[in-house]
Amino acid sequence: MSFYTSLSGLQASQTEMNTISHNLANVGTNGFKKSRTDFADVIASSVSVSPTQMVGSGTVVKANRQQFSQGNLIQSSSSLDLAISGDGFFAIKPSVDGAKVNFTRNGGFSVNQDRYVTDADGNFLQVYPVDGSGAVVATGIDQTKSLQLPATSGVAKPTGAVAMTANLASTATVPTTATFDRFDPTSYNNSTSTTIYDASGNPQTLTTYFKRTAASSGPGVNSTWQVYNYVGDTKLTSGGSDNISLTFNSDGQMTAPTTATTFDPFTPAGASAAQSATFTFGTTTTQLAQPFNISSRTQDGAAIGQLEGVTVGDDGMVKASFSNGDIQTLGKVVLAKFTDPAGLRQLGDSTWAATGLSGAPQLGSAGADGFGNLMSSTIERSNVDITEELVNLIAAQRNFQANAKALDTASQISETIFNLRT
């Protein structure tokens, strides 16, 4: 019997050493949770044996229990690196629309070629869907969705109206070059540029040139200017005229034009369709003894916004920002907790599946009771303490040696008995 008792001790010590070795091997694995081998003694007894005469029959591995203590948190430069300070888990799916849901503590997420947010193994991060105002509209495990970042936002709108308020210097002289030439700075006094948008939402540069054609010589005498407009190399005309005529009285107030100027349809270089636009000078456009200045400038076109960045708030809200200024709320990160996390089935890659021992997942949000706090640009490291594991490994090795010695002693006793002679 002593052979089997020692054998059980050897097997138990070997299991413990395997567990400790597995812990040490994953000291650098993000989100890894170490395990601890628990033992129980084995007693072979019956009702006829006195309690004072019972002898144990060895040991047995009762469980390899996972230890879900918090791992060290380190900062990163990616907003999609997420960590949970607390007991929660991220919900992930192996496929975009699959029914199977797994759980992980490794929040090192990135964006795949289809703009889905996935972990290193291609599992899809799950979020609660939200409406246009950012309010969560579903909370069940079967109603979560895989987080996908949109490539664009908004609808392209070609510029249809440009408005500008300016001051033209009353001290400006009439250019000596009579014919306007945008490539000859001596043929005009000032210029300015405005970004507008074509039918495809592409930005185009509208350049406006100001040329003084007549100066005021005293009270009651008007001053006139000609304004030329180009979109790239395309000259804008209105009713066949290639310029807008501005008139100022001797007090520097603009008297003409009093309405918007409508340009003839034009097609900027690279545009997919022709467009038309109006140009309006504000009623406060003046000609005073001050330097040329544009005090206000507006246009009503819009470009399609390109994705520029994504952030995850402390509340789990995922928001994407775009080049046109749009900000979209894409969803709320799903967190889960379990009655007994040690009952979760290990799937590898710092991933677990629910079992009957762990209980069904309870879903919630960051900051809620028992789900932990969510931190962006942070990664949770393994919770393995190298020093502690090495000490445990030494102790397990000593236990193995002691059981091996007991087995050797039992063998020697048996050999002595076999060698007895009558």
Side-chain angles (χ1 to χ4, degrees):
M1 180 64 73
S2 59
F3 284 100
Y4 294 104
T5 300
S6 298
L7 178 60
S8 70
L10 287 171
Q11 291 173 331
S13 297
Q14 187 174 25
T15 299
E16 184 177 23
M17 287 190 290
N18 289 339
T19 301
I20 295 171
S21 298
H22 180 66
N23 291 343
L24 288 171
N26 286 280
V27 69
T29 302
N30 293 335
F32 176 79
K33 298 302 175 183
K34 65 182 179 180
S35 297
R36 183 190 68 207
T37 303
D38 293 338
F39 305 101
D41 58 323
V42 178
I43 300 295
S45 64
S46 67
V47 294
S48 62
V49 179
S50 171
T52 60
Q53 295 180 344
M54 288 191 299
V55 178
S57 301
T59 187
V60 66
V61 175
K62 196 68 175 178
N64 268 327
R65 296 188 63 83
Q66 300 172 78
Q67 307 297 300
F68 284 90
S69 58
Q70 184 77 49
N72 292 329
L73 302 177
I74 61 173
Q75 298 297 310
S76 77
S77 59
S78 173
S79 61
L80 289 177
D81 282 341
L82 307 178
I84 302 171
S85 176
D87 298 329
F89 293 81
F90 297 108
I92 55 177
K93 285 186 177 182
S95 60
V96 175
D97 300 317
K100 181 178 177 58
V101 181
N102 295 325
F103 305 92
T104 185
R105 291 279 299 191
N106 183 2
F109 297 105
S110 58
V111 182
N112 69 8
Q113 66 273 17
D114 297 318
R115 302 187 310 282
Y116 282 99
V117 177
T118 64
D119 63 13
D121 299 303
N123 297 304
F124 298 85
L125 177 64
Q126 297 300 292
V127 296
Y128 294 124
V130 296
D131 59 19
S133 65
V136 176
V137 296
T139 57
I141 189 67
D142 57 340
Q143 295 177 315
T144 63
K145 69 173 186 177
S146 298
L147 177 60
Q148 184 181 31
L149 306 183
T152 60
S153 177
V155 178
K157 179 185 178 183
T159 297
V162 179
M164 184 181 296
T165 299
N167 177 71
L168 306 180
S170 61
T171 56
T173 60
V174 177
T176 56
T177 304
T179 304
F180 168 76
D181 182 356
R182 65 191 179 105
F183 299 112
D184 181 3
T186 65
S187 67
Y188 58 90
N189 299 87
N190 306 102
S191 65
T192 185
S193 297
T194 304
T195 299
I196 64 173
Y197 298 92
D198 62 23
S200 300
N202 299 314
Q204 301 281 351
T205 300
L206 169 66
T207 306
T208 304
Y209 301 89
F210 297 86
K211 176 182 180 180
R212 193 168 196 177
T213 54
S216 175
S217 58
V221 179
N222 292 332
S223 175
T224 59
W225 295 71
Q226 290 178 340
V227 180
Y228 300 85
N229 289 279
Y230 285 79
V231 175
D233 293 327
T234 303
K235 179 188 290 187
L236 304 188
T237 61
S238 176
S241 173
D242 65 353
N243 67 83
I244 303 171
S245 180
L246 302 184
T247 303
F248 297 89
N249 60 24
S250 57
D251 294 327
Q253 298 176 335
M254 187 177 71
T255 58
T258 57
T259 60
T261 299
T262 301
F263 293 123
D264 299 326
F266 60 94
T267 305
S272 59
Q275 66 187 98
S276 183
T278 62
F279 197 108
T280 305
F281 283 99
T283 56
T284 57
T285 292
T286 56
Q287 178 190 270
L288 303 175
Q290 298 173 1
F292 172 78
N293 177 59
I294 304 297
S295 57
S296 70
R297 187 197 323 259
T298 61
Q299 62 86 34
D300 62 353
I304 297 177
Q306 303 297 319
L307 180 66
E308 287 192 333
V310 59
T311 60
V312 182
D314 294 340
D315 57 355
M317 285 294 187
V318 183
K319 296 183 179 180
S321 56
F322 299 86
S323 58
N324 62 353
D326 287 354
I327 296 179
Q328 289 186 24
T329 302
L330 307 180
K332 189 172 187 178
V333 176
V334 176
L335 297 185
K337 67 178 181 178
F338 297 88
T339 303
D340 182 12
L344 291 169
R345 182 183 301 279
Q346 298 185 65
L347 302 178
D349 300 314
S350 300
T351 303
W352 292 268
T355 68
L357 295 177
S358 67
Q362 305 167 45
L363 300 188
S365 303
D369 185 29
F371 291 95
N373 297 317
L374 186 64
M375 293 179 288
S376 178
S377 299
T378 307
I379 285 289
E380 181 184 10
R381 301 286 287 175
S382 167
N383 67 347
V384 175
D385 185 315
I386 297 179
T387 303
E388 179 185 0
E389 295 302 316
L390 289 176
V391 171
N392 291 339
L393 184 60
I394 293 172
Q397 183 182 17
R398 295 303 185 194
N399 292 340
F400 186 92
Q401 292 173 339
N403 281 282
K405 187 63 176 177
L407 185 62
D408 181 58
T409 301
S411 176
Q412 292 179 21
I413 293 173
S414 298
E415 183 178 358
T416 300
I417 294 174
F418 292 149
N419 289 334
L420 289 177
R421 296 176 182 235
T422 57

